[in-house]
Each structure stands twice: as C-alpha cells, then as structure tokens.
Amino acid sequence: MKTILLVDDDPDQLEQLKFHVERFGYQPVVASSQKEGELMLETMKPDLAIIDLMMENQDSGFILSYKIKQKYPDVPVIIVTSVTAVSGMKFSLETEDDKRWIKADKYIEKGIRPDQLHREINKLLKV
Amino acid sequence: MNILKVLVVDDEPGIRTGVTRVLRNFTVGFPFMDDDFSFETVETGSGEEAIEILDKEPIDIVLLDNKLPGIYGIEVLEYIRQQEYDTQVMMITSYASLDLAVKATNNGAYNFVPKPFTPQELKAAMESITKHLYLKRMTKKLNEQGKHVRFQFLSVLSHELKSPINAIEGYLKIMQDKQAGDAIDDYQVMVSRSLERIKGMRGLIMDLLDLTRIESGKKKRNIAPVDITETARMAMHSMEPLAIQKSVKIHFISDEPHYINSDPAEIEIIFNNLLSNAVKYNVENGEVFLSITDNPMEVVIDVKDTGIGISEEEIGNLFKEFARIRNSKTKDITGSGLGLSIVKKLIDLNHGSIAVSSKPEQGSHFRVTFPKH
Ligand SMILES: Nc1ncnc2c1ncn2[C@@H]1O[C@H](COP(=O)(O)OP(=O)(O)OP(=O)(O)O)[C@@H](O)[C@H]1O
Ligand SMILES: [Mg+2]
C-alpha cells in the first residue's frame, strides 16, 4: 500500500485528510508541525506528501516541502492552503520563477472536493 | 533588479575572490517580491579596513571571518551593532567554537557559514539572509506607515476565523455524503469536534468584542472606585464550572476590600482572562491561588497556578496578539491567543503593570500591580 505523509497543525483538518486518504485506499502517516514532519522524514520515505502551508510560521509548508525535495527529489508534494484569500499574496506554480523557490508539485486551496483531491493524488502517484 | 552590497572580510584572498566569483551571476528571488536581488561585492582583508568601508558607504550584507590579522571579526560585529547600521552580518567560520557562536549571535549576527564552504552552501546562506533582510526592511517600512500592525492583525484574524469554519465544513460534508457510515453514532466524534470548534470561535468573538471595547471605550469609560476584591470574587465564581470540569481547585486569599479608580468591566476582563488561563493551562488536580494585597502605593494581584508553565523564550511573546504556545500539552486546549494581549492593553489603560514568572511543569505566576492613585 502506498504511504502518504500528511502535515497540518489543525487537528481537525488533519483528521479529515486522514479520513479521506484512508478511504482512497492509501496508508496515511500524520504530523502536526513542520518540525514533526521533518522528524518523520528521518525514518521513512513516503510515496507522496500533503502539507499545509501556514503552520508554526507563515511559510512552514514551503520549507518542509523544500526539505522533502532535498532528501527525496522523487517524492511528489502537494501544498494545501487558503493563503491567497487570507493575505492577498499570490502563490502559484505557474511561472518558472515560482517553481524554483516553491519546490512543490501541486498547490491546492483548502476546501477542495475529496474526489478532486483523489484525482490529484492519483495523477502524481501515476496510478 | 535590486542590487545588494556585500562586504567580504577575510584575510585569505582565495576566499574573497571565491565569494565574488560565486555571487557574480547569482540572483535571489521570491514569489512575493517584485524584483530579484543580485549582489555586488567589496573585499577587504582586515577588520580595520572593514570599519572604514562601513563608515563610508551603506553595506547590506557583511560576510565576516573572525580570525583576522588585527581586530577580530567579532569586534567588527560589535561596531556595526553600536552604530546601528542597517546591515546583516553572516560569520564565515566553523561551528566548532561555541563560545564565539553564542557571542556573535548575541551581537546580532544572522548566521554562520562553515569554512570551507561549497558554492552551493554559500548560495543557500545568501538566499536566507536576503529573505531575512527583505522581510526586515519591509516590516520597518510598513511599521513606519502604521500599516503593518493592522494588516497583520486582520490577516491573522481571518486565518483564525477560517480555520474552524473549514474544519466544521469538512465534517459536515463528510456527514452529508454519509462517508463514514449510515448510523448517526458513526459521526459522534465529528459532531463533538465541530461543537468544540464552535466554542473556540465564540471565544474569539468575545475577545474581539473586548478589544473593540477597549478601542472605542477610551472615550466612554465609567471610572469609579472599584473594589478589586469583590470583582475578583465574582470572576472566581464564574470560573468555577470550568475549574470543576478540569478538577482544578481555586483558592482565594484576601480578607478586605481594595479600591482603585477604574472601570469595573475592565477589571473583570483582566481577572477572567488570568483565571481562565490558570485553570485551562493547569493539570489534573492542580491548584490556583488568587490573592490581593496592598502597600501604601499600590494594589497587588497575584494569580499563581501549578500548571504546565511557560518556557523562558516563550514568555517574551505572551502578550502579543494571537500568540499561542504550541506543544503537545497545549494541543487540545482551545483559545484564540488574544486573552493576554487584551489584559495588557487594559492594564496599560489603567497605568498598571504586569509581570510573569514561570517554570515549565511547575506553574506560572502572573502579578498585576495598580497604583492607588
Ligand atoms: N497560566 C498559564 N500557564 C501556562 N501557559 C499559559 C498561561 N497563561 C497563558 N499561557 C500561554 O500563553 C498563551 C497566550 O495566552 P492568551 O490568554 O493570550 O491566549 P489563549 O488562552 O490561547 O486564548 P484566549 O485567552 O484568547 O481564549 C496561551 O496559548 C498559553 O499557551
Ligand atoms: Mg487565555
């Protein structure tokens, strides 16, 4: 079974992600902070990671994503956030410039429908 | 394109030219910046000359070796701090000397690059120092315009309001589609989590009302002699249900009335927040001691608890808006992080002061002092 690392500092968001990922037939592994996520990575290599952007800091998700890519360049990373609506700052993976800094494969807004999330996961896992 | 001036201070010419070469075609960009940054280097082999250069022209970043022929790098760092130059310093050295590391950090060095370093390491270090520099200058600019505080408050606030809404919405959608089963019992946890999040939101709204009260109430405060002892007793009673729920005992120590001139509603908010914290962040069978005493000049309120305590580095942030300490012990305790910032505002308004001492695992002590006149 493929393992998906889920990182979110909101216990309920994390619970719901876990619930959905299990239903999709994957094995969820959870962490509730950037730090905890980093610790997990020392002992495991997930097949994919889904990370909340704003945790301890506004850019925790970016940093964790960056670290995952440093260690396991082949593990796809999805960043989940509602940051655009909140801060007015635009983050996307459209331009080459953004891709160089935000080392994630997909960027999705919170509140995405579970079936859409499922599709994105499958696409990145190539199943 | 923004150009940052980098002063490279190292007595090894090889390192100096190496840095210049690496930085020549290097740029740093972030999605939230309009422009990329590139670098222009100035080199010197001694600390004395570094100071001369710093006095002459504005330098954005200094890469500073410690072991120099004349004065040491650390002294250059000290000089930069004394002069309050708007310059970020990165020490080029090894981590080996802990002593130096501590001293340099205390003197405001941003980071260390271990020597010898690869071009990759230098670039990574430059990227982070550039981001830091940019954010620092940005913050300064916004602060000068008075915009920053408000912007930050609103953006954090909407984040704090959105999180519970997202959480509750997520649970409701799962229920709507009956994704966890057909029986209502399959959703028990989701329902109680949703109710918990609603409770948190209500608390946040109450805090916001208190805040607006402070901001608008500056004009229409109802100042009169207030018996602090009486207000404290009332607050204690309203905290009782929460205390019982958490098996925490509140002891009240004060025998006589203590008057100050204030608005009774303000004093009540202060007590409510301090007491609710002392109960919330307590342990099973913990205790809270509330005492009110006075001396010729002031009335002194002490709220002590035997709870989880606060570490030294976290004490500094306590009174900031939305500051919540996140660790395994506070994980399941709801709160908005506004309580103490409200308390601080109200105490300022009443010309009082507040002090905190705390030890993790042992408990906290909040002391509020109000002048009698
Ligand atoms: N007596 C205490 N013991 C241990 N930690 C405390 C205590 N009082 C406050 N804290 C810590 O300080 C943080 C800030 O407290 P504050 O009262 O401002 O916010 P809150 O309790 O999280 O939310 P609110 O009071 O707005 O509902 C808390 O999240 C908690 O981690
Ligand atoms: Mg509180």
Side-chain angles (χ1 to χ4, degrees):
Chain A
M1 203 196 290
K2 297 215 166 175
T3 308
I4 302 188
L5 174 66
L6 308 172
V7 193
D8 198 315
D9 65 339
D10 185 307
D12 294 304
Q13 293 287 347
L14 193 60
E15 192 54 39
Q16 288 167 22
L17 261 178
K18 189 170 152 235
F19 175 85
H20 291 304
V21 163
E22 259 165 6
R23 267 171 28 99
F24 301 156
Y26 298 114
Q27 172 74 48
V29 177
V30 300
S32 62
S33 66
Q34 178 199 327
K35 256 201 224 142
E36 234 182 271
E38 282 175 29
L39 277 179
M40 297 279 200
L41 290 172
E42 281 173 18
T43 53
M44 67 164 304
K45 178 182 177 187
D47 295 289
L48 182 137
I50 304 180
I51 309 172
D52 180 33
L53 173 59
M54 279 200 200
M55 293 186 284
E56 296 101 309
N57 294 309
Q58 294 223 339
D59 56 0
S60 294
F62 287 156
I63 294 168
L64 185 56
S65 166
Y66 183 83
K67 291 198 169 162
I68 292 177
K69 290 288 182 188
Q70 250 177 351
K71 189 149 189 211
Y72 307 119
D74 56 324
V75 172
V77 176
I78 299 179
I79 289 185
V80 191
T81 178
S82 50
V83 74
T84 315
V86 170
S87 67
M89 288 173 180
K90 270 261 273 290
F91 295 102
S92 65
L93 293 175
E94 302 313 314
T95 68
E96 281 309 306
D97 229 31
D98 293 351
K99 277 186 194 146
R100 204 178 40 167
W101 162 239
I102 307 177
K103 306 239 181 324
D105 299 87
K106 188 74 202 167
Y107 161 83
I108 57 179
E109 284 279 318
K110 265 184 186 155
I112 182 175
R113 288 211 318 272
D115 57 310
Q116 287 172 319
L117 178 65
H118 195 179
R119 215 168 313 130
E120 294 299 344
I121 292 175
N122 284 349
K123 222 190 285 171
L124 289 172
L125 286 176
K126 303 200 170 69
V127 293
Chain B
M1 180 72 72
N2 297 298
I3 296 168
L4 295 177
K5 265 257 165 76
V6 181
L7 175 62
V8 189
V9 192
D10 199 310
D11 55 338
E12 291 172 52
I15 297 246
R16 296 201 301 263
T17 50
V19 170
T20 301
R21 194 158 0 95
V22 171
L23 294 185
R24 189 175 302 138
N25 293 314
F26 180 58
T27 58
V28 172
F30 302 108
F32 43 84
M33 293 182 199
D34 297 335
D35 259 342
D36 282 0
F37 287 96
S38 62
F39 305 93
E40 200 179 288
T41 52
V42 186
E43 301 173 18
T44 171
S46 80
E48 288 82 354
E49 204 178 290
I51 286 179
E52 267 173 46
I53 296 171
L54 281 158
D55 286 338
K56 237 181 11 232
E57 53 183 315
I59 298 288
D60 299 295
I61 297 169
V62 180
L63 295 177
L64 188 59
D65 183 21
N66 188 47
K67 262 231 183 76
L68 295 167
I71 60 168
Y72 272 25
I74 195 92
E75 292 167 80
V76 178
L77 178 61
E78 222 156 280
Y79 181 80
I80 291 173
R81 203 198 49 171
Q82 273 165 13
Q83 299 294 315
E84 296 182 358
Y85 286 140
D86 180 22
T87 300
Q88 294 297 312
V89 178
M90 182 134 58
M91 302 290 291
I92 317 175
T93 177
S94 72
Y95 287 95
S97 159
L98 184 66
D99 232 30
L100 172 69
V102 170
K103 201 164 166 209
T105 317
N106 283 342
N107 266 332
Y110 173 69
N111 207 345
F112 297 85
V113 240
K115 201 157 72 164
F117 47 81
T118 64
Q120 231 32 47
E121 282 166 334
L122 177 65
K123 284 180 184 172
M126 290 304 289
E127 199 164 287
S128 92
I129 201 169
T130 304
K131 185 182 173 197
H132 181 77
L133 185 86
Y134 172 81
L135 289 177
K136 222 177 121 186
R137 288 188 179 166
M138 197 64 185
T139 311
K140 202 169 144 207
K141 207 164 102 194
L142 287 168
N143 272 340
E144 278 162 6
Q145 298 166 351
K147 280 183 189 151
H148 187 245
V149 177
R150 188 144 196 89
F151 169 75
Q152 224 183 359
F153 183 84
L154 287 178
S155 74
V156 181
L157 173 63
S158 50
H159 179 249
E160 293 299 309
L161 278 171
K162 274 185 87 159
S163 311
I165 291 175
N166 286 335
I168 296 165
E169 188 180 38
Y171 285 132
L172 285 176
K173 280 184 181 157
I174 293 174
M175 292 182 219
Q176 188 178 37
D177 298 341
K178 299 206 172 96
Q179 289 173 2
D182 284 333
I184 185 79
D185 283 352
D186 298 331
Y187 300 92
Q188 219 169 43
V189 177
M190 298 189 195
V191 171
S192 54
R193 283 303 306 169
S194 299
L195 289 173
E196 186 66 29
R197 297 305 294 257
I198 288 174
K199 196 170 104 194
M201 252 200 289
R202 182 174 295 121
L204 174 60
I205 292 169
M206 302 302 265
D207 282 348
L208 285 175
L209 286 177
D210 286 347
L211 267 182
T212 2
R213 227 193 98 82
I214 298 170
E215 311 235 300
S216 64
K218 275 174 193 150
K219 288 161 249 140
K220 45 177 186 201
R221 300 169 65 209
N222 296 318
I223 304 295
V226 183
D227 177 5
I228 301 263
T229 308
E230 179 55 25
T231 321
R233 194 173 287 125
M234 268 162 39
M236 193 188 84
H237 285 312
S238 62
M239 213 49 65
E240 212 90 272
L242 180 68
I244 291 169
Q245 206 185 324
K246 292 232 11 171
S247 314
V248 169
K249 178 110 190 60
I250 308 179
H251 305 271
F252 185 56
I253 312 155
S254 175
D255 30 18
E256 53 198 45
H258 293 283
Y259 288 94
I260 64 162
N261 278 328
S262 180
D263 183 325
E266 291 173 7
I267 303 300
E268 202 180 321
I269 294 173
I270 295 173
F271 276 119
N272 282 342
N273 277 299
L274 292 179
L275 281 178
S276 82
N277 284 347
V279 172
K280 269 204 305 196
Y281 303 105
N282 218 312
V283 291
E284 183 92 12
N285 296 321
E287 292 178 289
V288 175
F289 300 89
L290 169 60
S291 92
I292 299 163
T293 50
D294 73 347
N295 59 47
M297 304 295 293
E298 15 181 57
V299 175
V300 181
I301 301 163
D302 288 295
V303 182
K304 286 189 211 172
D305 66 62
T306 58
I308 60 174
I310 306 160
S311 74
E312 207 162 314
E313 71 255 39
E314 279 158 339
I315 282 187
N317 288 321
L318 278 188
F319 297 100
K320 293 190 184 141
E321 279 156 355
F322 299 111
R324 300 208 70 213
I325 298 167
R326 292 158 187 272
N327 56 40
S328 54
K329 292 206 191 72
T330 59
K331 189 162 104 230
D332 293 321
I333 304 174
T334 38
S336 63
L338 281 176
L340 286 177
S341 73
I342 292 171
V343 166
K344 179 79 173 74
K345 284 201 177 75
L346 288 174
I347 289 172
D348 287 348
L349 208 57
N350 285 286
H351 311 291
S353 63
I354 181 161
V356 195
S357 59
S358 185
K359 276 224 172 73
E361 322 264 325
Q362 291 188 16
S364 311
H365 176 185
F366 287 78
R367 165 169 286 191
V368 179
T369 317
F370 288 120
K372 281 185 171 165
H373 274 291

